[in-house]
Amino acid sequence: MTNDPIISLQDVTFTYEGDVVALRGLNLTVRRGEFLVVLGANGAGKSTLCYLISGIVPHIYGGRRRGVVSVAGIDPWDEPLYVTAQHCGVLMQDPEVQLFMPTLKAELAFGPANLGVPREEILRRSQAALALMRLEGLEERNPRDLSGGQKQRAALAAVLTMQPQLLLLDEPTSQLDPLGRWEVGEAIEHLKRRGDLAIVMTTHETEEVLHLADQLLVLERGETALQGSPEEVFSQSERLEAAGVKTPALIRVQHSLLQGNHSRAAHPSPTRVNLTVSQVAEQMRQSIAAGRLRVNSKAAPATQFALPDAPVILEARDLTVEYPGPPRIQALREVNLQIRQGEFVGIIGQNGSGKSTLVKCFVGLLRPKSGDVLLRGQSIRKFSVGEMARRVGLVLQNPDYQLFTASCRDEIRFGLQNVGASPDEIERLVDDALRLVGLEEQAELFPFRLSFGDRRKLAVAATLALNPEVLILDEPTTAQDHRGRYQLAELARRFHEDQHGTVLMITHDVDLIARYARRLLVMHEGRILLDGATWEVFSQVEELKKSFVVPPVAAQLARELAALGVPSWVTTLEELARVIMPAQGG
């Protein structure tokens, strides 16, 4: 078996129709058995690179290209898609757009059957793919009835029956819960170990690729910002942050240790990336024992954890919700919950645990089978839809469900008109809302010409313009890059602090929720599994395992170093840096 490049790009520039330059001067080589991870902010060119390699450009999206592109020995520009698809398999972030057959068995057979592969060979390939993806026994199930992680593995299995030489994974875990991400990550690790494929993966989740990647490519505005081994790329934290890419938490901790010790000779540089929490904790113990670091015993939490005297603003009483079947699904089971005015509450848990159902009940979008929701002590059944929309604002996971007018200005104006605001007040509030989210220049633009991240900001602006008492964000981090997810969280923080608003945020991002939420709910199978101060919840590791939630790296390190006096309230890297300090800073 030769080791000729599976992917070879030489000085490639691509411009979409309309003269939008998406890639500029790109050079790239990927060989069989290699795993390339492509990082970058939204709009950096990651998806365009996937389109270029897979043949989606130019056969679906047109444009102009300069330079040389070779994929498994062919130029996708010159071949029809069905030819390129035999060499290059693509897995997208939403598996449902790739699953369309009535059974998983038929799904796996569809691709090779269309290529005229003999029946016995199709069966052999299908069985091999089922075994590799751990989907045996589900052959007769409709793929749409599978869990999120199972759907993504089913779509991946269907790609593998085509026996591609190259696998393109475009943010394959961005829409999955912790269990789904673990399942897909394990499947990708199996493929990596097998060594007979070249794999290219785009992602925002740098922790997921620490132990897998052979090389990293960081794109910024279509150009190469960084390229090389994980050791080389992740050692340049400042450049990564400038490109909108998150440096893995363990590497950030290790970098701060090196800086704190004032000695890079003590640790080889560039930083090793196959790190574990235990390894970094041991480095910290050694540095503390040697007197290079110290534990600041006087450090205290930066913010209070609870508002026990604040009035209850939202309350769920014995809330039970069922979705019709078959099978009939009990989404909430006698949930009792109080949210106090001025709280910032995080809600986490697996997909299907009841998170979105709960917040939809809070705004009146769902009527429970039994129980009730109270707003300031009154049943929300007494309030009109308009009154609820004004007082409790919900920003959905997909902003496109909330946007429908001809311009950004009209989008914000629409809700204000419906709650009876005066014309002068409407224009003032519209301008304030656009300014708040940084969309003043796009005020007259058609909303669907905005990027996905900016459409999210517009949905938040339209909600905040109504001056609600409660703001609910349902999965604001989905498909968002590192910079974008924190921009939305900062909008929620400003609403919370400047307007004394109450915030509920559903997310799978434990680092983000540790930074912003003072209280944390963990939902599991329609019930509240844990409820308390964020640090207390993250300290209950065994209970969290039921919902496949892993505490933030800082909380894990604090737990490992508790015997040295590191307090259990540490959940963020910033808090860790206030507790463990260079000895010279004392």
Side-chain angles (χ1 to χ4, degrees):
M1 183 183 296
T2 63
N3 202 24
D4 294 332
I6 300 295
I7 300 174
S8 178
L9 274 60
Q10 299 174 32
D11 199 24
V12 172
T13 295
F14 178 75
T15 305
Y16 283 109
E17 293 173 351
D19 293 329
V20 178
V21 180
L23 296 173
R24 192 190 303 271
L26 207 60
N27 291 283
L28 179 65
T29 300
V30 183
R31 301 181 185 277
R32 188 185 305 276
E34 284 190 323
F35 194 122
L36 167 72
V37 174
V38 184
L39 303 169
N42 288 346
K46 303 186 302 297
S47 291
T48 300
L49 176 61
C50 292
Y51 297 159
L52 201 69
I53 293 170
S54 64
I56 291 174
V57 163
H59 300 296
I60 295 178
Y61 300 129
R64 303 189 306 277
R65 189 192 87 189
R66 294 201 310 270
V68 178
V69 177
S70 174
V71 177
I74 65 172
D75 186 341
W77 202 273
D78 299 331
E79 302 289 346
L81 272 173
Y82 74 84
V83 172
T84 308
Q86 295 176 53
H87 302 280
C88 175
V90 181
L91 181 68
M92 292 176 279
Q93 57 182 290
D94 183 0
E96 296 204 2
V97 304
Q98 293 184 251
L99 300 172
F100 51 87
M101 298 298 283
T103 66
L104 178 56
K105 179 171 64 177
E107 195 73 57
L108 300 187
F110 181 84
N114 275 272
L115 298 177
V117 174
R119 180 177 183 276
E120 292 304 316
E121 175 62 12
I122 291 175
L123 291 174
R124 186 195 67 78
R125 293 186 189 183
S126 296
Q127 287 302 314
L130 286 167
L132 186 64
M133 296 294 108
R134 295 193 302 107
L135 293 169
E136 302 104 315
L138 301 178
E139 294 89 337
E140 300 301 329
R141 292 276 298 276
N142 187 316
R144 293 187 177 274
D145 293 335
L146 302 176
S147 69
Q150 288 173 333
K151 285 177 183 175
Q152 197 65 291
R153 285 186 285 139
L156 184 51
V159 169
L160 294 177
T161 60
M162 299 282 285
Q163 294 193 333
Q165 296 172 261
L166 165 66
L167 192 59
L168 279 178
L169 310 171
D170 191 8
E171 296 195 37
T173 62
S174 70
Q175 297 192 19
L176 299 180
D177 61 14
L179 174 59
R181 288 203 301 271
W182 178 82
E183 289 177 334
V184 173
E186 184 187 51
I188 293 171
E189 195 165 352
H190 280 311
L191 291 172
K192 159 74 174 167
R193 285 202 299 265
R194 209 169 67 174
D196 59 348
L197 288 169
I199 304 176
V200 175
M201 176 175 168
T202 72
T203 185
H204 295 304
E205 305 301 330
T206 50
E207 270 88 356
E208 292 180 357
V209 302
L210 271 177
H211 62 294
L212 289 175
D214 296 304
Q215 59 171 314
L216 301 180
L217 170 65
V218 179
L219 294 176
E220 186 177 28
R221 298 185 184 90
E223 299 187 52
T224 300
L226 292 169
Q227 189 170 8
S229 69
E231 289 85 354
E232 293 166 336
V233 170
F234 282 138
S235 67
Q236 302 182 60
S237 298
E238 290 185 7
R239 185 68 186 91
L240 280 173
E241 295 290 331
V245 175
K246 176 186 177 184
T247 303
L250 283 173
I251 292 179
R252 284 181 61 193
V253 171
Q254 201 179 57
H255 281 177
S256 66
L257 275 175
L258 297 175
Q259 293 163 3
N261 291 339
H262 299 291
S263 171
R264 292 190 177 273
H267 300 279
S269 181
T271 305
R272 286 174 55 242
V273 297
N274 58 332
L275 298 173
T276 66
V277 169
S278 295
Q279 288 172 332
V280 174
E282 181 56 30
Q283 289 181 10
M284 297 173 84
R285 285 191 198 96
Q286 292 174 8
S287 292
I288 291 169
R292 294 189 294 268
L293 294 175
R294 67 181 180 88
V295 177
N296 178 12
S297 58
K298 297 180 181 179
T303 55
Q304 65 183 110
F305 291 127
L307 299 167
D309 299 326
V312 173
I313 189 168
L314 276 175
E315 183 174 3
R317 288 186 179 173
D318 297 322
L319 208 58
T320 296
V321 175
E322 283 190 355
Y323 292 122
R328 187 177 294 275
I329 297 172
Q330 199 166 36
L332 293 179
R333 306 165 187 260
E334 298 181 351
V335 170
N336 288 281
L337 175 66
Q338 291 184 338
I339 305 295
R340 295 186 178 275
Q341 183 176 320
E343 284 195 293
F344 197 127
V345 182
I347 306 176
I348 60 177
Q350 290 174 233
N351 291 345
S353 62
K355 304 184 303 295
S356 293
T357 300
L358 176 63
V359 298
K360 286 176 181 176
C361 288
F362 278 156
V363 297
L365 284 178
L366 285 176
R367 294 292 187 190
K369 177 186 176 184
S370 61
D372 202 3
V373 172
L374 308 183
L375 175 63
R376 294 198 179 277
Q378 291 187 302
S379 171
I380 65 170
R381 300 176 194 271
K382 299 179 180 179
F383 298 111
S384 67
V385 172
E387 178 70 5
M388 284 303 299
R390 190 181 66 78
R391 298 183 68 175
V392 183
L394 171 63
V395 180
L396 296 173
Q397 181 174 350
N398 187 342
D400 297 348
Y401 295 152
Q402 295 180 259
L403 304 176
F404 50 86
T405 64
S407 73
C408 296
R409 180 175 291 278
D410 286 345
E411 201 67 58
I412 300 171
R413 188 184 284 142
F414 180 85
L416 293 167
Q417 290 171 333
N418 276 276
V419 298
S422 68
D424 289 344
E425 186 183 21
I426 286 174
E427 295 313 308
R428 178 181 62 80
L429 291 172
V430 167
D431 288 338
D432 288 347
L434 287 169
R435 194 178 305 113
L436 178 68
V437 299
L439 292 177
E440 311 100 297
E441 301 295 323
Q442 290 81 24
E444 304 305 329
L445 195 67
F446 180 53
F448 287 91
R449 291 190 62 189
L450 298 172
S451 69
F452 186 86
D454 282 347
R455 296 203 298 278
R456 269 254 174 83
K457 291 178 190 173
L458 179 59
V460 173
T463 302
L464 290 181
L466 295 172
N467 193 27
E469 299 172 65
V470 181
L471 174 65
I472 302 175
L473 298 173
D474 189 357
E475 300 279 12
T477 62
T478 299
Q480 288 286 83
D481 58 23
H482 174 55
R483 189 181 291 142
R485 62 183 61 185
Y486 280 92
Q487 286 174 338
L488 286 174
E490 279 296 307
L491 289 174
R493 182 192 62 78
R494 287 167 61 185
F495 168 77
H496 175 244
E497 294 181 357
D498 298 347
Q499 301 180 43
H500 307 292
T502 304
V503 178
L504 278 68
M505 182 184 291
I506 296 174
T507 183
H508 296 307
D509 189 329
V510 293
D511 291 316
L512 181 140
I513 214 66
R515 178 183 290 190
Y516 291 94
R518 297 301 95 198
R519 177 182 172 192
L520 189 59
L521 306 177
V522 181
M523 299 202 66
H524 180 61
E525 296 181 350
R527 293 189 171 93
I528 295 174
L529 177 68
L530 295 169
D531 177 7
T534 301
W535 68 272
E536 290 178 329
V537 171
F538 279 137
S539 69
Q540 299 184 55
V541 176
E542 292 306 312
E543 281 293 288
L544 287 173
K545 286 179 181 177
K546 295 178 182 177
S547 58
F548 284 83
V549 171
V550 177
V553 163
Q556 295 179 57
L557 287 169
R559 184 179 175 88
E560 290 250 359
L561 299 170
L564 298 179
V566 176
S568 54
W569 52 256
V570 169
T571 57
T572 68
L573 297 186
E574 291 76 15
E575 289 171 340
L576 188 67
R578 287 195 296 111
V579 170
I580 299 181
M581 308 171 63
Q584 295 91 329

